[in-house]
Amino acid sequence: MAKTSGLGDACYVGGSDLSGDINSLTQISGSQSVLNVTDITQSANSRLGGQRDGSIDFVSYFDPATRSPGALRIADR
């Protein structure tokens, strides 16, 4: 797979564009819990995918001259 850069990308949180203040993405991760649904007639474990979870960690800067205080309230949800 070819490498690409993030130049020209945008980050919207709750409909507000916060991309001008984001410096870098440090981690993007996701997981899914496993549900054991084995019944007594099976000789091996049977599993289904459960609840999904994910997170994005990023470094951002707040510029009070260009952003309204509402942008911080949206980002803190």
Side-chain angles (χ1 to χ4, degrees):
M1 178 172 25
K3 293 183 179 181
T4 61
S5 74
L7 295 176
D9 289 348
C11 178
Y12 291 90
V13 177
S16 295
D17 184 9
L18 302 180
S19 55
D21 296 331
I22 294 189
N23 178 280
S24 63
L25 297 175
T26 55
Q27 178 180 350
I28 299 175
S29 64
S31 65
Q32 185 174 17
S33 63
V34 178
L35 303 174
N36 187 356
V37 293
T38 307
D39 62 53
I40 61 173
T41 63
Q42 295 174 319
S43 59
N45 288 329
S46 180
R47 297 181 181 99
L48 294 176
Q51 185 176 10
R52 293 180 183 179
D53 187 22
S55 68
I56 300 176
D57 296 338
F58 57 91
V59 176
S60 66
Y61 303 101
F62 179 68
D63 183 3
T66 61
R67 298 277 185 228
S68 67
L72 282 181
R73 283 195 299 276
I74 290 169
D76 288 339
R77 283 193 226 175

